[in-house]
Amino acid sequence: MRRAIRFLRRNETVEARNFEPRTTLLDWLRLTERSTGTKEGCGEGDCGACTVVLRRLVDGRLVSNPVNACILLLGQVDGAEVLTVEDLAADGRLHPVQQAMVERHGSQCGFCTPGIVMSLLALYETGETPDRQGVTDALAGNLCRCTGYRPIVEAAFDALGRIEADPFAQRRLEVAEALAALRDEADVLVGDERSFFAAPASMEALARLYLDHPDATLVAGATDVGLWVTKALTDLPKIIWLGRVAGLDAVMEEEATLTLGATATLVRAREALGALDPDLDELMRRFGSQQVRASGTVGGNIANGSPIGDLAPALIALGATLHLRRGDASRRLPLEGFFLDYRKQDRQPGEFVTGVTVRKPAGRQVRAFKVTKRFDEDISAVMGAFCFDMADDGTVREARIAYGGMAGIPKRARAAEAVLTGAAIDDRAAAERAVAALDTDFAPLTDHRASAAYRRRVAGNLLMKALMEIATGDDAATRLIAHREVRHAAE
Ligand SMILES: Cc1cc2nc3c(=O)[nH]c(=O)nc-3n(C[C@H](O)[C@H](O)[C@H](O)COP(=O)(O)OP(=O)(O)OC[C@H]3O[C@@H](n4cnc5c(N)ncnc54)[C@H](O)[C@@H]3O)c2cc1C
Ligand code: FES
Ligand code: FES
């Protein structure tokens, strides 16, 4: 058992043995290390002022990810290198992303600038040269209230265009070796029986520990739990972090199925789900921000039981099976069966999610639409996911329809499904009956995101849009950006 967390900071190994389990990385940086370059804005993962970069060894490769330090727990940096804005300039020379921000006037009051520089650093470190969309996606988690984004985006292009052997990049090998040396297979526990930050290294150790402490809080990416700390000021005396559990993040592709491990990040989920269908890729592109996707996990998005989580409706429509474990006992259930009532899931004390398996579409027609007030980094008002198995004669053999935002849980639209099963996909009357049947399926609420009437109307429109696209085999008339047309052209 290791009694400290260890991470790399400015070429030195830091060992932290005494810290409150819920300490955030931002507080440690600003209050303990006194590195105040990293700013605190919203404290809830939205503005990106606190962005830092974590470098980890993944399959032998050094991978840089931007994360929101305000909602990341200190213990979660175990095994990583932590880079902040103070670390970039060397020998009086700015890093290329900093230099480009200066030259393009990408900063005015400067409050957002450290976070923007760190997001650009993570992009720079990929070695890729993305298009404008790629750059704006990378910056979607960073708000700037004074400069405006044009100079910042221009700075990004300048920096990415001049990828050079900066002294910072030359340390990569050294960093990779230091991170490899930090690796071990020990379970970690900082604290005592009453209050601890624990990071078990195996599924067995996790199962045992959680059974012994069913009152502990499981933390995967902390993009939800972090807000309990910073916004609700919740005391979390016992924390079990899942990020060290070997194999829990596995992504397994088989001929007919895809299995996502509970701690697979949303970045990895985007790669895997995006390969199944372009709408799933688009859904994941709009999931939070790069910082949220780099930390947040599949298991966290399902286990939090949010009625407006984006993954659950999409996975339910695909026909997903959830995997759970408690002690030595494992069980599986259809994902829709996991959500019992508002924030109430079919999960026993000491039980945790180990993964989720979906059927690959394999010829089935998939559509997924997220409706939000703001295009980027916003939670859904309504999210609709559709999967239709079509017979050769154009009738619907099986319809799976699931919505988020329409009930206290992510839920299937069984009445609408029943109307469509056996109907011709272009049968307008059947489509209208299915839309009407949504009133049997759902009685949505009015809240600050949307009114009940708006939600009803949107849910019906999304279903109609999915049916029209599938019937015509085209989405040019239903979208501003016609994905399917592009995909068909590529095929
Ligand atoms: C700025 C911002 C934007 C966001 N945007 C979106 C969005 O667009 N769409 C969306 O759906 N969500 C969004 N979220 C919410 C959040 O990012 C997701 O729900 C994310 O998937 C949570 O994963 P996590 O690993 O961070 O969960 P955590 O915060 O670590 O955990 C969430 C909950 O799940 C439990 N838990 C975690 N893993 C397990 C497990 N394996 N077994 C049992 N219980 C477990 C935890 O105890 C906790 O109750 C956003 C959040 C922020 C801060
Ligand atoms: S302070 Fe706003 S995202 Fe962290
Ligand atoms: S420069 Fe002031 S917020 Fe961006």
Side-chain angles (χ1 to χ4, degrees):
M1 178 76 74
R2 174 146 60 81
R3 310 291 301 190
I5 60 147
R6 296 187 310 211
F7 57 98
L8 211 58
R9 184 92 183 106
R10 299 177 182 153
N11 304 331
E12 304 282 335
T13 299
V14 178
E15 287 205 352
R17 317 185 154 267
N18 288 309
F19 59 91
E20 214 203 323
R22 63 174 184 166
T23 308
T24 62
L25 175 61
L26 184 64
D27 278 353
W28 185 84
L29 287 170
R30 290 182 59 88
L31 304 176
T32 304
E33 195 186 69
R34 309 298 292 177
S35 292
T36 51
T38 307
K39 305 300 178 206
E40 177 162 19
C42 63
E44 55 183 272
D46 262 318
C47 74
C50 65
T51 305
V52 301
V53 166
L54 296 187
R55 301 212 283 190
R56 287 186 190 276
L57 273 183
V58 181
D59 300 330
R61 262 184 343 113
L62 196 59
V63 176
S64 302
N65 272 313
V67 295
N68 291 316
C70 66
I71 50 169
L72 196 91
L73 303 182
L74 173 63
Q76 291 179 260
V77 302
D78 187 64
E81 183 192 30
V82 179
L83 290 172
T84 63
V85 71
E86 293 93 343
D87 308 333
L88 268 57
D91 305 326
R93 220 177 109 219
L94 293 178
H95 185 280
V97 297
Q98 294 173 304
Q99 188 61 41
M101 283 285 281
V102 172
E103 287 167 7
R104 288 287 181 174
H105 305 287
S107 176
Q108 286 186 45
C109 82
F111 195 79
C112 70
T113 309
I116 286 186
V117 162
M118 296 313 283
S119 283
L120 291 180
L121 172 74
L123 185 62
Y124 183 92
E125 289 264 295
T126 64
E128 288 165 13
T129 44
D131 58 10
R132 193 181 169 82
Q133 181 70 70
V135 169
T136 53
D137 280 350
L139 289 170
N142 292 87
L143 302 183
C144 174
R145 297 197 197 287
C146 7
T147 303
Y149 295 95
R150 191 174 53 81
I152 296 171
V153 170
E154 282 171 354
F157 279 120
D158 277 5
L160 296 170
R162 65 163 102 124
I163 293 205
E164 55 196 53
D166 58 292
F168 183 71
Q170 282 164 8
R171 274 202 324 111
R172 287 178 75 85
L173 193 60
E174 212 180 293
V175 171
E177 282 168 5
L179 289 178
L182 279 188
R183 280 212 160 153
D184 63 17
E185 285 165 16
D187 298 323
V188 174
L189 195 136
V190 180
D192 56 32
E193 282 284 300
R194 282 175 303 122
S195 173
F196 58 75
F197 180 95
S202 67
M203 204 88 86
E204 287 63 38
L206 165 62
R208 260 195 322 271
L209 185 68
Y210 197 27
L211 214 49
D212 289 347
H213 298 274
D215 55 334
T217 303
L218 296 184
V219 169
T223 59
D224 285 318
V225 174
L227 277 73
W228 307 352
V229 174
T230 60
K231 295 289 138 173
L233 307 182
T234 312
D235 193 13
L236 302 174
K238 297 179 182 179
I239 289 179
I240 302 177
W241 177 48
L242 307 178
R244 270 179 69 77
V245 178
L248 196 57
D249 62 346
V251 173
M252 272 183 308
E253 233 189 293
E254 284 173 290
E255 202 179 326
T257 60
L258 169 72
T259 299
L260 301 168
T263 53
T265 63
L266 299 165
V267 168
R268 291 193 73 196
R270 178 179 176 188
E271 286 161 11
L273 291 170
L276 299 184
D277 188 89
D279 271 12
L280 299 177
D281 183 53
E282 178 67 358
L283 177 71
M284 297 309 289
R285 178 171 82 87
R286 291 182 55 205
F287 194 122
S289 59
Q290 187 61 28
Q291 291 93 319
V292 169
R293 293 191 295 274
S295 298
T297 66
V298 171
N301 196 232
I302 293 171
N304 72 18
S306 166
I308 44 174
D310 284 327
L311 266 184
L315 299 177
I316 289 172
L318 287 174
T321 304
L322 190 68
H323 308 239
L324 294 143
R325 175 166 170 172
R326 181 175 185 274
D328 292 329
S330 298
R331 67 182 175 113
R332 295 173 173 222
L333 77 163
L335 179 55
E336 55 266 42
F338 181 63
F339 304 106
L340 301 177
D341 206 342
Y342 180 66
R343 299 279 182 190
K344 188 169 183 305
Q345 295 88 43
D346 180 2
R347 189 159 74 86
Q348 301 305 309
E351 191 170 40
F352 56 95
V353 173
T354 56
V356 63
T357 299
V358 293
R359 288 192 285 150
K360 288 185 182 170
R364 290 182 296 159
Q365 290 283 344
V366 175
R367 295 293 185 277
F369 307 121
K370 169 170 174 164
V371 178
T372 52
K373 284 193 172 170
R374 199 173 58 199
F375 185 84
D376 278 316
E377 209 187 13
D378 203 0
I379 307 274
S380 297
V382 177
M383 195 263 150
F386 311 89
C387 186
F388 294 102
D389 187 14
M390 305 293 303
D392 290 342
D393 64 359
T395 55
V396 177
R397 206 160 24 210
E398 187 198 13
R400 291 183 69 94
I401 302 172
Y403 284 95
M406 291 293 289
I409 53 173
K411 193 169 165 240
R412 271 178 82 171
R414 292 193 187 264
E417 289 175 359
V419 171
L420 290 170
T421 305
I425 190 77
D426 59 357
D427 179 344
R428 180 80 190 190
E432 280 167 8
R433 282 200 309 279
V435 168
L438 292 175
D439 282 342
T440 312
D441 285 314
F442 302 109
L445 292 178
T446 294
D447 63 16
H448 64 281
R449 286 205 172 79
S451 67
Y454 175 83
R455 287 191 154 107
R456 268 202 200 91
R457 172 68 69 89
V458 166
N461 288 352
L462 296 184
L463 174 56
M464 198 55 99
K465 171 166 154 167
L467 292 169
M468 278 174 63
E469 286 189 2
I470 297 166
T472 59
D474 201 353
D475 61 9
T478 45
R479 304 190 187 204
L480 292 176
I481 302 167
H483 291 281
R484 308 276 154 184
E485 217 177 35
V486 171
R487 191 176 66 155
H488 291 155
E491 275 169 1

